């Protein structure tokens, strides 16, 4: 607390990102980063952009990047927005679309940044409980609300909602924005981008951080009707017109030009996920059905917090959430096969089998 803080600053409860420790080299399975490097074409493009033009401001409209993303999904450029990571776009969307006079709806177990943004913007919230199996109960998102936001697949549960349920959600909420946060959609889901021509209230948010190995570049997208994209641009241009720098723009465009690499690395992550899921189950854990680049696991008799600590002592970092309903679970990002072999070996010791 400081006397220099505004009442808003004093009221905030900021997001706590997964740790990025510097004390020793860990096997890092705690922030859902991609274990594979970005495409070499991305690195080349960034190097080529590191030139004297850095004295100039970047393109505030992100035109080249927006065209690349629009072409990728077969959309007009007016239906695409680019931002400094999807977190920034989510922050803009909260300001642009959610009505403070009504409640914003999201699942009780979900991406913890939503609560933080709601507080920042003074929005009331209503948490809609997942069912016992951690499925999103779409039919409970239908009250007179100020907006809806759901990650698909959900985090940290990793479970996917099929498109027909997203469709039901949109049908039930025609008069407010429905934001689908698709940070993990490329690991086995079907994107709701294909629904935006039918639903002017649908905003789909994606990121290059997970499936394109570019968490360090900070690039995200939103796809939606022209009116929603214009709403995001109104907020962005009331905040910071240059959210994406020249290097990020160059690297992000190049990532769309290497589809083969993208497919190969996501397929590897998926194959490793399937193998690891079977292995942890054979060690006595249960796991949700993951369509993301992480698994969500729980042991029936060993406390998750203890497993977290024992893994840490063995140099393996995973994520533990000390919150109701999920405090016996661990979220484990999918690393390389070698990293996951080390995880399995450590879990085998800890589970004593
Ligand atoms: C990782 C993640 C994001 C943030 O992605 P950035 O583009 O790196 O900001 C957003 N939503 C969910 C659900 C995520 O897991």
């Amino acid at each position: 607390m400081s006397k220099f803080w505004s009442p808003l600053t004093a009221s905030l409860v900021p997001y706590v990102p997964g740790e990025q420790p510097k004390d020793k080299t860990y096997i890092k399975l705690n922030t859902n980063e991609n274990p594979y490097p970005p495409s070499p074409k991305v690195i080349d493009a960034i190097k080529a952009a590191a030139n004297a033009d850095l004295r100039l401001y970047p393109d505030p409209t992100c035109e080249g990047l927006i065209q690349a993303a629009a072409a990728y999904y077969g959309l007009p450029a007016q239906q695409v927005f680019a931002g400094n990571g999807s977190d920034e776009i989510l922050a803009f969307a909260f300001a642009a679309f959610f009505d403070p006079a009504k409640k914003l709806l999201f699942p009780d177990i979900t991406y913890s940044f939503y609560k933080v943004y709601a507080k920042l913007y003074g929005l009331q919230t209503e948490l809609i409980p997942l069912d016992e199996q951690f499925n999103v109960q779409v039919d409970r998102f239908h009250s007179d609300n100020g907006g809806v936001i759901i990650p698909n697949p959900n985090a940290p549960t990793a479970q996917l909602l099929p498109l027909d349920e997203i469709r039901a959600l949109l049908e039930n909420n025609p008069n407010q924005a429905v934001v689908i946060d698709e940070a993990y959609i490329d690991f086995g889901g079907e994107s709701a981008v294909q629904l935006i021509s039918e639903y002017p209230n649908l905003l789909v948010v994606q990121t290059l951080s997970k499936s394109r190995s570019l968490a360090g570049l900070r690039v995200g997208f939103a796809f939606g009707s022209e009116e929603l994209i214009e709403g995001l641009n109104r907020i962005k241009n009331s905040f910071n017109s240059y959210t994406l720098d020249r290097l990020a723009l160059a690297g992000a465009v190049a990532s769309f030009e290497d589809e083969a690499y993208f497919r190969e690395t996501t397929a590897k992550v998926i194959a490793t996920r399937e193998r690891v899921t079977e292995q942890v189950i054979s060690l006595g854990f249960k796991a949700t059905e993951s369509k993301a680049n992480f698994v969500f696991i729980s042991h029936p008799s060993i406390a998750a917090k203890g497993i977290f600590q024992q893994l840490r002592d063995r140099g393996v970092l995973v994520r533990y959430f000390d919150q109701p309903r999920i405090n016996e679970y661990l979220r484990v990002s999918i690393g390389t096969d070698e990293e996951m072999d080390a995880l399995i070996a450590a879990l085998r010791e800890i589970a004593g089998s």
Side-chain angles (χ1 to χ4, degrees):
M1 199 51 98
S2 158
K3 68 176 176 181
F4 304 118
W5 290 357
S6 69
L8 172 65
T9 305
S11 77
L12 297 178
V13 186
Y15 178 76
V16 183
E19 54 184 327
Q20 302 282 4
K22 301 195 174 62
D23 59 329
K24 66 173 183 177
T25 319
Y26 287 92
I27 294 179
K28 255 191 109 272
L29 307 176
N30 68 328
T31 49
N32 296 345
E33 289 149 326
N34 198 305
Y36 302 108
S39 156
K41 292 184 182 164
V42 170
I43 309 292
D44 289 346
I46 294 171
K47 283 183 180 158
N51 61 33
D53 283 349
L54 283 174
R55 74 189 176 80
L56 302 170
Y57 281 107
D59 172 10
T61 67
C62 304
E63 193 185 338
L65 176 57
I66 281 178
Q67 275 168 1
Y72 188 77
Y73 279 111
L75 293 170
Q78 295 83 344
Q79 298 199 324
V80 183
F81 179 88
N84 187 262
S86 58
D87 282 340
E88 180 189 74
I89 300 176
L90 294 171
F92 289 170
F94 272 59
F97 308 124
F98 297 151
D99 181 356
K102 295 178 181 176
K103 287 179 177 160
L104 168 67
L105 309 186
F106 52 83
D108 63 337
I109 299 167
T110 197
Y111 187 38
S112 46
F113 229 134
Y114 300 159
K115 229 179 253 178
V116 175
Y117 292 137
K119 190 112 190 152
L120 175 63
Y121 294 120
L123 300 174
Q124 315 167 54
T125 59
E126 183 178 342
L127 307 187
I128 309 295
L130 300 183
D131 72 12
E132 286 298 306
Q133 286 74 45
F134 293 154
N135 295 304
V136 175
Q137 307 188 73
V138 165
D139 53 344
R140 295 184 62 168
F141 287 76
H142 57 70
S143 56
D144 181 26
N145 62 65
V148 172
I149 181 163
I150 293 180
N152 196 36
N154 195 13
T157 58
Q159 293 176 170
L160 180 78
L161 268 183
L163 271 193
D164 57 336
E165 298 211 29
I166 302 283
R167 200 181 266 284
L169 185 68
L170 292 159
E171 301 278 348
N172 287 340
N173 295 278
N175 298 317
Q176 56 276 81
V178 173
V179 177
I180 306 296
D181 179 355
E182 293 191 336
Y184 302 105
I185 197 69
D186 295 327
F187 299 104
E190 205 181 350
S191 175
V193 165
Q194 61 187 276
L195 302 181
I196 65 179
S197 61
E198 287 172 72
Y199 299 98
N201 58 328
L202 168 62
L203 190 79
V204 178
V205 178
Q206 294 190 354
T207 176
L208 299 189
S209 293
K210 315 281 168 47
S211 57
R212 291 183 188 264
S213 307
L214 287 169
L217 203 63
R218 314 304 305 131
V219 181
F221 296 95
F223 305 95
S225 59
E226 279 188 45
E227 55 192 306
L228 292 185
I229 299 307
E230 190 186 337
L232 288 175
N233 276 310
R234 288 174 71 93
I235 298 291
K236 171 189 140 164
N237 290 316
S238 305
F239 183 81
N240 173 11
S241 295
Y242 303 107
T243 54
L244 284 175
D245 63 65
R246 286 176 168 271
L247 305 184
L249 289 170
V253 169
S255 84
F256 283 106
E257 290 164 358
D258 199 350
E259 180 70 9
Y261 185 87
F262 164 70
R263 285 178 188 256
E264 184 192 324
T265 49
T266 43
K268 280 207 280 197
V269 169
I270 291 168
T272 305
R273 176 188 75 207
E274 297 304 305
R275 168 174 78 84
V276 165
T277 303
E278 278 178 31
Q279 286 179 305
V280 293
I281 288 171
S282 75
L283 291 175
F285 287 81
K286 60 179 179 172
T288 60
E289 188 184 341
S290 172
K291 294 288 180 204
N293 68 339
F294 56 89
V295 289
F296 198 52
I297 64 172
S298 175
H299 195 281
S301 55
I302 311 173
K305 198 170 185 172
I307 301 174
F308 167 81
Q309 194 53 52
Q310 290 193 62
L311 284 173
R312 202 172 198 287
D313 296 343
R314 288 170 168 79
V316 182
L317 272 188
V318 301
R319 194 92 195 256
Y320 173 70
F321 299 93
D322 200 354
Q323 60 172 271
R325 295 194 74 187
I326 58 170
N327 56 6
E328 284 308 335
Y329 282 81
L330 296 170
R331 192 196 70 188
V332 183
S333 309
I334 300 301
T336 61
D337 281 311
E338 297 69 39
E339 289 173 321
M340 300 319 276
D341 288 346
L343 167 89
I344 295 294
L347 286 179
R348 185 170 288 126
E349 279 177 28
I350 295 163
S353 51

